[in-house]
Amino acid sequence: VWIFFFFFSLLAGAAVASDSVQIGGAIGNIHKNAPDIITTFVLVLSIFGLLIATAFFNNAALRDVNNGFNEIMFSLPIKKSGYFLGRFMGALVLSTIPFFGIFLGVWVGTVIAPVFDWVDAERFGEFYLSTLVNNYFLFILPNMFIGGSIIFFLAHKFKNTIVSFVGALIIVILYITSGELLSDIENETLGALMDVFGIRTYSIYTKYWTPAEKNTLGPVFDGLILQNRLIWLGVAMAISAL
């Protein structure tokens, strides 16, 4: 958990404190710590977060099986639903913790960059608590829930770690497919709804935002973003129920 937390902090901090490091492309003429930039960091690193989901959810699903403890566990007066839900929720909470490193890294980079004259102070703006809260509930938690549901299901079904990584690969393929649809403007909405991570969904949602809006506004529970989240959360809940 803390290795991933440190990695995300270091990467986000370097992207804010230096023009040599980029996450998701060039920043342009908006603040280096703008809500739009922080959201981009969260979304791009969600792809790496899939590795976190694979590691944590696969381990949560197979640890008892690998250690031969599952027969003892199921002989106890505990319901399967309670057992599986407890394991799943534990992995879900753990998998979201490293993403807080992004916000810590951005804050540290904002503080130290002007001090060491790496970046001019006027290139930084205010921090907005809503950016952290909305990103967590719109992207971090749902993305880990969606990816975790698929991986947890596959691990339990096939009792095989390799199959879990195949599940992660399928999610990435869906993301790439949504990108192909976006190349045609007529399929733009469909591609936005198919994006598992919500990266391109957010890109379309903010396509016509001005620099001033990107400096002050973050993701909200509205429009294509809300539709995308509801669709994929519904899929993940169906998989989890199964």
Side-chain angles (χ1 to χ4, degrees):
V1 175
W2 304 116
I3 290 175
F4 279 116
F5 182 92
F6 175 76
F7 173 72
F8 281 0
S9 297
L10 187 64
L11 200 57
V16 170
S18 171
D19 291 324
S20 301
V21 180
Q22 295 182 4
I23 302 176
I27 290 177
N29 60 343
I30 62 177
H31 293 149
K32 292 180 71 67
N33 64 340
D36 178 73
I37 297 302
I38 297 175
T39 302
T40 300
F41 289 176
V42 168
L43 289 171
V44 172
L45 291 177
S46 290
I47 300 176
F48 293 98
L50 200 58
L51 297 175
I52 301 175
T54 304
F56 291 155
F57 284 96
N58 181 76
N59 182 61
L62 297 183
R63 172 175 288 186
D64 288 337
V65 175
N66 293 336
N67 294 331
F69 192 70
N70 55 316
E71 300 297 335
I72 299 175
M73 179 64 70
F74 288 128
S75 69
L76 300 174
I78 179 175
K79 292 183 178 180
K80 276 190 175 183
S81 58
Y83 170 77
F84 288 134
L85 184 61
R87 284 285 188 168
F88 181 85
M89 293 304 295
L92 178 62
V93 171
L94 286 177
S95 65
T96 64
I97 291 176
F99 284 91
F100 287 101
I102 298 173
F103 302 99
L104 177 63
V106 170
W107 179 77
V108 172
T110 301
V111 171
I112 67 174
V115 173
F116 290 96
D117 202 27
W118 294 338
V119 180
D120 293 336
E122 56 266 21
R123 294 194 62 189
F124 297 101
E126 296 182 30
F127 279 104
Y128 297 91
L129 180 61
S130 59
T131 303
L132 189 156
V133 175
N134 288 4
N135 267 287
Y136 184 81
F137 288 105
L138 268 176
F139 297 119
I140 297 174
L141 189 61
N143 283 345
M144 290 299 98
F145 180 78
I146 294 164
S149 296
I150 297 172
I151 293 164
F152 197 74
F153 168 79
L154 292 174
H156 268 297
K157 182 68 176 176
F158 297 99
K159 305 294 189 294
N160 192 309
T161 300
I162 295 176
V163 176
S164 298
F165 280 94
V166 171
L169 181 61
I170 291 173
I171 299 173
V172 175
I173 291 173
L174 287 173
Y175 168 70
I176 296 173
T177 302
S178 70
E180 294 299 322
L181 287 172
L182 282 179
S183 61
D184 184 354
I185 194 170
E186 293 182 0
N187 296 324
E188 197 174 63
T189 300
L190 178 60
L193 295 178
M194 282 186 62
D195 188 348
V196 182
F197 300 104
I199 299 174
R200 296 188 175 98
T201 311
Y202 178 74
S203 176
I204 292 174
Y205 185 83
T206 60
K207 186 196 304 188
Y208 300 109
W209 281 14
T210 64
E213 289 174 319
K214 291 185 176 182
N215 281 334
T216 55
L217 302 178
V220 292
F221 298 81
D222 187 26
L224 277 177
I225 295 179
L226 181 60
Q227 294 174 39
N228 172 278
R229 299 291 82 185
L230 290 176
I231 289 172
W232 286 105
L233 283 174
V235 171
M237 288 179 181
I239 294 172
S240 295
L242 179 62

